[in-house]
Structures are given as C-alpha cells and as structure tokens.
C-alpha cells in the first residue's frame, strides 16, 4: 500500500472526525437549541447504532457475508439481557457464550 | 463540597467506563491485527487509532483500503459512518456547552459511542449535575477507555497473526453495541426508532458508500420524534 495514500486517509479522517465532533459542542456552546431539535437529537443513538450493526449481524464478513444462525441467536440473547437485566457485561458475555456454543453446534 | 462532588463524578465515570474495556480491548486489538495484515506499519496503525479514535470508521476505511478504493471514497465513507459524531456533538452541546473552549475541544476529541451514551443517560437521570461534574463524568468515562484503545491497537499490531479466527473477535463490536442499545429503549418512541433503524439498515444495506446507514438513521430519528409528539398530544388531550 502506498505511503501517501495511507497518510492522506489518516490525516483526512483525523481532521474530519474531530470536526464532526467539535461542530456543535465547540461552536454552538451553551446557546440552547430549539425544542424540535432536541426532540430529534434524543433519538440519534438508537437511530444510528441498530442500522450500523444489523447488517454486520445478518451478513457477517467473517463468514463471507453468509447468514449464520449462531450470530443472530447471540445478538438476540445479548439484546434480551440488555433490555431486561440492563447489565452491560452480563449481556455481552451471555451473547458471546451463545455465539461460541452456536458456532460449535451448527 | 463542590470539589468532592466533582471528584465523585469523575470516579463514577471511571467506574461506568471501565467495563467497556472488556469489549473495546479485543475490538481495538482486532484493528491492530487487521491493519498490519492489510500492509500498514505498526506506527501508521497506531496513528490511525489515536487520530481517528472511532472503531467503526477505522474498520470501514481499512476494509475499503484493502479493496484499493480511491482516496476520496475511503474518506467520504468513513466520515459518513462518523456523521453520528456530529449528532452526538449536538446532543452534548446543551450539557457541556458552558465549559471553557479547551475542555470542549478535549471533550470533542473524546466523543465516542460509549462516552456519549453513558454521559447523556447520566445527565438525563441526574438533572442537578453542575457543568464541572458533567465534564468530570465525561472525562472519567474515557480515562480507562482512551489509553486502552491505543494500547490494545498497538498490542494487536505487534501481535499480528497470533489471533485464531475461531475467537470470532469480529463479533465483539456488534455484541457490545447491542448491549448498549437495550437500556436506551426507555420509551415507545425509542423502541420505534431502534426498530426502524435496524430494518432500514438491512433494507438499505445495498446502497454504496454507507449512505444506507445515514438514510436509515435519518428516517429512524424522524420516526422517534414523531412518536414522541403523537404521545404527547394524546397525553395533553386525555390528561
């Protein structure tokens, strides 16, 4: 891989990522945002993360993009634990245990 | 009085952030492994993790780089994955906006999924937090996370191919994000937003450059806000 290619990407992503993170917190400051903006912002995390992971769960790159029942099951177990028990580590370990068991069984 | 509460907010942040190490450590180590396998030097790999400090964007960029995608497309796609950071920034602004600019600049650099999710839910639960306590909690969350992110990237880059694929390390990220989403679903509006988001992410996955992710997220945000509005109207009418 070409060095200038690598460094151009690292520099642009470093600057760009900081810019995206700084834009509101740094430039808007404590000026209060209108209620309709806040109402939409409340849902950013739950709106982005599921869309980010759903394809990774259903079409995992580690399995060549083929659906694997073990990964779907593991995600469901993690989700159920996270939703009902609300304990982060328990959820991840429950899911990981399901994944290893599932990969071994199927 | 004020200093002790600021200190306790810092410690609370450290305690809340620390458990994420168990999933972030393998996740960053995996980036180190994959990046060096793709042909990046150890130094380049570490610089990548320190300057970008965003796992999903790093993996997106790396994946495209191994496919010899053009520079511009790599940058746009990875920044698109990171666009949610701008939404996090906007969501944090009402809480952290009163802090001095240098603290806000550091907070901006340290804005990641974990620090954002933990802090916003903490600020919403404890409404009486001062600006200093809020900043202390935010930094506290990242005190264990950021150094571990660098260190395990380095370990992965140096350790290289020693990790067996049976460990299924690639799945550390989806599982940890799933575990983070569960407790966020406090209202029907949050549930609707998450469901629309997951469905949209799958249905629009074919759209190139990760644009499907952005479109799905946008629709999900509108759906959540709309449900909240409908619920509030019904409450006003009945109550």
């Amino acid at each position: 891989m070409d060095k200038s290619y690598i460094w151009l990407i690292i520099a642009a992503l470093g600057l760009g990522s900081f810019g995206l993170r700084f834009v509101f917190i740094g430039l808007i400051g404590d000026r209060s945002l209108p209620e309709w903006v806040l109402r939409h912002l409340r849902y950013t995390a739950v709106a982005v993360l599921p869309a980010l992971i759903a394809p990774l769960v259903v079409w995992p790159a580690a399995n060549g993009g083929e659906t694997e029942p073990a990964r779907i099951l593991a995600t469901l177990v993690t989700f159920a634990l996270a939703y009902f028990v609300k304990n982060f580590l328990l959820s991840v370990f429950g899911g990981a245990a399901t994944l290893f068991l599932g990969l071994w069984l199927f | 009085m004020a200093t002790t509460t600021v200190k306790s907010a810092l410690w609370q942040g450290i305690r809340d952030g620390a458990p994420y190490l168990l999933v972030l450590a393998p996740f960053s180590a995996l980036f180190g492994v994959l990046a060096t396998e793709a042909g990046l030097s150890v130094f380049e790999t570490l610089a990548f993790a320190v300057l970008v400090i965003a796992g999903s964007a790093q993996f997106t960029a790396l994946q495209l780089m191994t496919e010899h995608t053009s520079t511009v497309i790599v940058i746009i796609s990875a920044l698109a994955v990171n666009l949610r950071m701008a939404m996090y920034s906007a969501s944090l602004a009402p809480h952290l906006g009163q802090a001095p600019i240098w603290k806000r600049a550091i907070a901006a650099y340290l804005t990641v999924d974990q620090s954002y999710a933990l802090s916003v839910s903490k600020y919403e639960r404890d409404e009486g937090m001062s600006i200093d306590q809020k900043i202390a909690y935010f930094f506290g969350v990242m005190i264990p996370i950021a150094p571990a992110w660098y260190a395990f990237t380095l370990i992965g880059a140096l350790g290289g191919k020693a990790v067996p694929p049976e460990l299924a390390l690639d799945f550390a990220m989806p599982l940890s994000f799933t575990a983070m989403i569960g407790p966020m679903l406090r209202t029907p509006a949050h549930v609707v937003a998450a469901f629309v988001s997951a469905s949209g992410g799958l249905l629009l996955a074919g759209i190139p450059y990760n644009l499907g992710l952005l479109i799905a997220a946008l629709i999900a945000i509108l759906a959540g806000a709309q449900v909240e509005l409908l619920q509030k109207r019904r409450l006003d009418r009945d109550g």
Side-chain angles (χ1 to χ4, degrees), chain A:
Chain A
M1 222 180 271
D2 186 45
K3 290 287 151 195
S4 62
Y5 176 69
I6 293 171
W7 280 107
L8 190 58
I9 288 172
I10 292 177
L13 288 185
L15 280 174
S17 299
F18 181 78
L20 289 172
R21 289 160 161 145
F22 189 70
V23 61
F24 291 105
I25 205 180
L27 301 181
I28 300 253
D30 63 344
R31 268 169 288 174
S32 61
L33 293 161
E35 169 55 28
W36 69 269
V37 175
L38 295 174
R39 184 167 60 241
H40 288 82
L41 290 177
R42 263 194 281 283
Y43 301 97
T44 47
V46 285
V48 176
L49 294 179
L52 182 70
I53 56 174
L56 300 175
V57 171
V58 178
W59 303 297
N63 197 36
E66 290 289 310
T67 305
E68 253 184 318
R71 288 171 195 269
I72 301 212
L73 204 62
T75 310
L76 292 177
V77 167
T78 298
F79 179 75
L81 288 170
Y83 185 74
F84 292 109
V85 188
K86 301 190 198 309
N87 181 308
F88 178 76
L89 284 184
L90 182 76
S91 311
V92 172
F93 281 131
T98 310
L99 177 64
F100 292 135
L101 193 69
L103 287 175
W104 178 69
L105 280 176
F106 298 125

Side-chain angles (χ1 to χ4, degrees), chain B residues 173-184:
Chain B
M173 183 186 95
L175 283 190
S176 62
F177 281 178
T178 304
M180 285 168 66
I181 294 163
M184 290 181 194

